[in-house]
Amino acid sequence: MISYNAEGVAMPNIKRRATTAWIKAVAATYGKRVGEIGYLFVDDEHILDVNNQYLGHDYYTDIITFDYCEGDVLNGDLVISLDTVRSNAELFGKPYEEELHRVIIHGVLHLCGLNDKGPGERELMEDAENRALALLKTE
C-alpha cells in the first residue's frame, strides 16, 4: 500500500491511483514489489528538522528516504519538501509537476537499491529517473 500525506503544506495535486500504479510498475522493472510506502509532503523547515534529527545533516533537501525494505518488498517512508521541489523546478527550467514526479520516483529508486552519492552514481540515477518518467507519460 502506498499512502500520501501532507503536514504543514497543501497536498500536491497528484493523481493518486495513477501515481501508485506507476510506482508499482517502476518497482516491477527492478524485480521488486511494493509493500508499505508512505509519502509525507512537507515544507523546507520540516525537512530541515528531519535531516538534522535523523541524519545529522544541517541542510535543505528535496527528499529523505527511510528504507525498511525486506528482500524484494519495498517498504519505506519518503519525506518530500515541496518548497525545494518548486525551487528545483525553477532552477532546472522544468514544470513543477515533472519535478515532483521525479522526486517521488527518486525515493522509490533508492528503495530499489540505486544510489546517487558515489562516482558515476548520479548519472545512473538520472537515467533511471528519466526511464521512469517516460513510463508515467505512457500510462
Side-chain angles (χ1 to χ4, degrees):
M1 185 180 97
I2 300 175
S3 63
Y4 305 91
N5 296 288
E7 189 173 310
V9 295
M11 178 65 75
N13 187 18
I14 55 173
K15 297 175 182 162
R16 294 181 193 202
R17 191 168 289 142
T19 301
T20 295
W22 171 58
I23 290 167
K24 289 179 178 180
V26 170
T29 67
Y30 290 88
K32 310 285 185 184
R33 58 190 175 88
V34 170
E36 299 286 328
I37 296 177
Y39 283 93
L40 180 62
F41 300 101
V42 300
D43 62 14
D44 269 352
E45 293 311 310
H46 189 121
I47 207 160
L48 181 61
D49 289 344
V50 171
N51 218 2
N52 271 311
Q53 182 176 352
Y54 294 99
L55 302 176
H57 299 158
D58 190 24
Y59 54 81
Y60 299 102
T61 187
D62 51 1
I63 184 168
I64 297 174
T65 303
F66 294 98
D67 184 340
Y68 313 124
C69 295
E70 298 175 8
D72 290 336
V73 179
L74 303 183
N75 298 295
D77 289 322
L78 296 92
V79 184
I80 295 176
S81 170
L82 297 180
D83 292 338
T84 300
V85 168
R86 189 170 312 285
S87 298
N88 285 345
E90 291 171 11
L91 179 67
F92 301 128
K94 300 286 186 184
Y96 171 75
E97 283 192 359
E98 180 182 327
E99 187 64 18
L100 178 58
H101 282 103
R102 180 178 296 279
V103 174
I104 285 171
I105 210 63
H106 182 91
V108 171
L109 293 170
H110 274 307
L111 296 179
C112 288
L114 277 75
N115 293 308
D116 57 0
K117 300 290 186 217
E121 290 179 338
R122 180 69 223 154
E123 293 79 7
L124 293 174
M125 177 65 86
E126 286 177 9
D127 288 345
E129 291 168 356
N130 290 334
R131 284 193 308 276
L133 286 169
L135 284 178
L136 178 65
K137 289 175 175 45
T138 61
E139 301 263 325

